[in-house]
Amino acid sequence: MPNNLTVIVLAAGGGTRMKSKTMKVLHPIGGRSMIGHVLKAVASIEPQHVVAVVGHQREQVGPHIHEMLPEAVLAVQETQDGTGHAVRVAVEAVLESGAIDGTVLVAYGDTPLLTGESLAAFAADHEAAQRAVSILSGIVDNPFGYGRIVRNHEGDVEAIVEEKDANRDQREIREINSGILAFDAEFLVEALPKIGNDNAKGEYYLTDTVQLARDAGLTVGAWAIDDVRQTEGANDRAQLADLGRELNQRILTRWMRDGVTIMDPATTWIDADVVLAPDVTLLPGTQLLGATVVAEDAMVGPDCTLKDCEIGSGARVVRAHAELAVIGEGANVGPFSYLRPGSEVRARGKIGAFVETKNSVIGEGAKVPHLSYVGDAEIGEGANIGAGTIVANYDGIKKHRTKVGRHAKTGSNNTFVAPVEIGDGAGTAGGTVVRRDVPPGALAVSSGPQRNIEGWAQKKRPGTAQAEAAAAATAGEPQGERDVSHGGPSGVGQTGSGEEQS
Ligand code: UD1
Ligand code: CA
């Protein structure tokens, strides 16, 4: 790119058809705002200046633009008097801090499919042809609403006529102004004050620069883009969804070309900032959102939503919902797992069915296979957490941490009352409520020995099916002589041994 390029992004309009308290250009699509996509494309061609024109709800839009592109200059357009007026406001903002020369590109903040490559190719064509004004045009089936490109017998561009100002013949023209224009800066600075508002909308049309250039004997031309969808804006939610689907299909196609298997593109959604390695497999119903990164040979899906997650190579994630979580190499998650922010499953670890984790590390090869909540905890390498374990991390006022040592094996239906530490190689019996630290290698038992009251069903529930079943089972047995020595420390009661389906 030449080093004297200025890009103006127009985003002052109200976008009323969105019927939203959120400004149009801030509506998300593919994990970024619409204007976020445009700014990303603009930044990729490395312009000298970027000016964004803001107006409506600028207290929302301005900070967002600065977050996306800190070097962007904000120009405030108090009243939306037309695209010509908006560009004038932008040019004045640049002139305040110095000169403006070379090429000025004008784009809109609501065209999320626009790429930096297209902008660069358009600017290069404009400069090679040494035009005063270049129009990025497109041939469309339904030109309604767009400015039409009017050409003379030689095929030269004579004017852009807006829908409302067009006559019947002009309305038939299918070559339209995408709105993206390139200017020679010197010409633009002189032309802007000459634009009037004597038209159907009473606005200052930027497109009037075409006529002004021709009147001055300068060159005007159009560069028709094949991929017109890149110039499409979303004015309402239906168009937003339509562009969202198109953007998604483009992202999926790119990843498939780069070696990712996507079994069902129709139900797979990948945000623009997601990064995937070759030989990743995505099964139906998978949404990879935000800054999610998936390493090679990992398989995700069916039915997963992963936002801002890091998935290690060869990991397997099935029917899981995860946010800000790290899933290590060869780890196994799901089905039906919920990983909240700060969850980390290290290499070959496992989080199984109906397990929720938050702000916790599941160590290398450690397993939380069934029906558990693990919050603010550190589970040591190779440890196994029994089915139905609850880490009681919250005492009603504060959150506390729980630590389970390396290769510890804890029983089913335990409660770990934080803060508490279970030592390396320690164990806990089934049903234990762990309130005190367990030393390494010790077995914690908190439930009392079991007591059986013989004949209870027949005595207390006479005449019921329960009593009858009990009577039938004990017929002929003398009462009171059955073994009552169940329970106690021998009844460790582990399940969830960590084997795949225990
Ligand atoms: C404009 C073009 C039209 C083109 C169409 C493509 C003009 C006069 N017409 O028409 O030829 O086919 O875009 O979509 O340029 N904006 C401001 N400040 C304003 C007015 C507009 O920032 O005072 C911004 C809007 O937020 C929007 C963009 O400029 O992003 C286009 O404005 P809009 O009013 O939608 O222009 P159109 O009538 O669609
Ligand atoms: Ca428009």
Side-chain angles (χ1 to χ4, degrees):
M1 275 285 100
N3 55 14
N4 46 359
L5 174 68
T6 298
V7 181
I8 296 170
V9 179
L10 303 187
T16 48
R17 280 177 282 168
M18 278 294 186
K19 300 194 175 154
S20 176
K21 55 188 174 300
T22 302
M23 249 298 270
K24 173 167 89 170
V25 296
L26 298 187
H27 276 262
I29 170 169
R32 278 185 212 142
S33 64
M34 287 208 274
I35 198 170
H37 288 278
V38 175
L39 293 171
K40 199 92 176 175
V42 166
S44 76
I45 64 170
E46 300 178 351
Q48 204 174 25
H49 305 286
V50 179
V51 189
V53 180
V54 294
H56 269 276
Q57 287 170 268
R58 59 176 181 268
E59 61 293 337
Q60 257 184 31
V61 185
H64 177 76
I65 289 170
H66 269 154
E67 201 178 299
M68 295 297 300
L69 194 66
E71 63 264 35
V73 173
L74 294 182
V76 176
Q77 187 192 22
E78 296 291 348
T79 52
Q80 281 66 62
D81 297 330
T83 49
H85 179 252
V87 168
R88 192 171 170 178
V89 167
V91 166
E92 279 163 8
V94 180
L95 289 175
E96 255 173 44
S97 57
I100 181 167
D101 59 4
T103 296
V104 178
L105 273 182
V106 175
Y108 297 167
D110 68 347
T111 55
L113 266 45
L114 183 66
T115 67
E117 289 78 32
S118 296
L119 278 177
F122 174 55
D125 180 74
H126 164 81
E127 282 164 16
Q130 297 190 305
R131 298 188 200 105
V133 185
S134 296
I135 305 151
L136 199 161
S137 71
I139 314 288
V140 296
D141 290 337
N142 177 13
F144 180 80
Y146 286 105
R148 309 298 204 284
I149 310 295
V150 178
R151 292 178 183 264
N152 65 16
H153 296 300
E154 280 79 52
D156 298 331
V157 176
E158 281 205 316
I160 300 174
V161 180
E162 294 303 303
E163 175 77 37
K164 284 194 172 151
D165 301 290
N167 63 35
R168 191 181 291 225
D169 283 347
Q170 289 166 336
R171 284 190 181 151
E172 296 297 313
I173 298 171
R174 287 171 49 229
E175 186 181 5
I176 55 97
N177 167 30
S178 70
I180 299 165
L181 301 171
F183 297 95
D184 170 64
E186 211 176 305
F187 161 75
L188 183 65
V189 170
E190 279 177 28
L192 287 170
K194 295 182 191 157
I195 295 174
N197 63 353
D198 182 17
N199 52 51
K201 274 177 144 181
E203 284 185 357
Y204 296 87
Y205 290 167
L206 182 61
T207 45
D208 284 359
T209 50
V210 170
Q211 194 67 57
L212 289 166
R214 287 195 57 94
D215 291 350
L218 300 169
T219 332
V220 176
W223 185 82
I225 190 168
D226 288 333
D227 183 12
V228 284
R229 299 222 67 177
Q230 281 195 35
T231 67
E232 274 181 29
N235 294 308
D236 59 30
R237 314 272 183 141
Q239 288 172 346
L240 185 69
D242 187 45
L243 280 182
R245 207 159 37 238
E246 178 63 26
L247 176 62
N248 188 52
Q249 289 308 312
R250 289 175 181 219
I251 293 170
L252 296 182
T253 301
R254 180 161 63 82
W255 286 121
M256 290 189 277
R257 298 241 156 88
D258 282 351
V260 173
T261 295
I262 300 178
M263 190 185 266
D264 183 17
T267 61
T268 303
W269 290 82
I270 302 180
D271 277 352
D273 292 325
V274 168
V275 178
L276 306 175
D279 284 324
V280 161
T281 298
L282 305 179
L283 299 181
T286 294
Q287 302 172 60
L288 302 179
L289 309 178
T292 293
V293 178
V294 185
E296 61 178 5
D297 301 322
M299 194 185 264
V300 179
D303 301 326
C304 285
T305 301
L306 308 181
K307 185 166 187 231
D308 300 322
C309 289
E310 199 183 311
I311 314 300
S313 58
R316 185 76 185 89
V317 186
V318 184
R319 292 186 212 280
H321 187 104
E323 191 171 341
L324 284 165
V326 178
I327 296 172
E329 194 186 318
N332 251 283
V333 171
F336 310 111
S337 307
Y338 179 27
L339 281 66
R340 291 165 50 202
S343 296
E344 181 184 347
V345 193
R346 299 235 165 110
R348 292 167 299 284
K350 179 185 170 75
I351 291 182
F354 305 104
V355 172
E356 173 180 337
T357 63
K358 183 217 74 174
N359 192 26
S360 292
V361 175
I362 314 302
E364 205 177 309
K367 291 172 178 170
V368 187
H370 328 272
L371 302 156
S372 295
Y373 171 65
V374 178
D376 302 310
E378 191 183 324
I379 311 295
E381 174 196 334
N384 188 80
I385 304 300
T389 293
I390 303 298
V391 174
N393 57 326
Y394 184 48
D395 63 11
I397 299 163
K398 276 176 79 177
K399 305 272 167 80
H400 301 279
R401 292 201 63 84
T402 294
K403 200 174 164 209
V404 177
R406 297 172 53 237
H407 300 285
K409 306 275 179 233
T410 68
S412 294
N413 201 26
N414 276 200
T415 303
F416 301 158
V417 184
V420 76
E421 188 170 335
I422 294 164
D424 291 353
T428 64
T432 300
V433 179
V434 183
R435 296 176 190 278
R436 288 191 292 132
D437 289 354
V438 182
L443 177 73
V445 184
S446 73
S447 54
Q450 179 176 327
R451 208 158 57 89
N452 292 343
I453 300 167
E454 293 294 327
W456 179 89
Q458 293 95 315
K459 260 184 246 146
K460 297 290 189 187
R461 298 284 183 271
T464 64
Q466 182 188 3
E468 278 166 28
T474 53
E477 269 184 40
Q479 290 278 310
E481 283 178 28
R482 288 161 63 80
D483 177 20
V484 293
S485 62
H486 296 304
S490 60
V492 168
Q494 284 216 20
T495 72
S497 63
E499 296 321 315
E500 285 310 299
Q501 301 296 334
S502 56

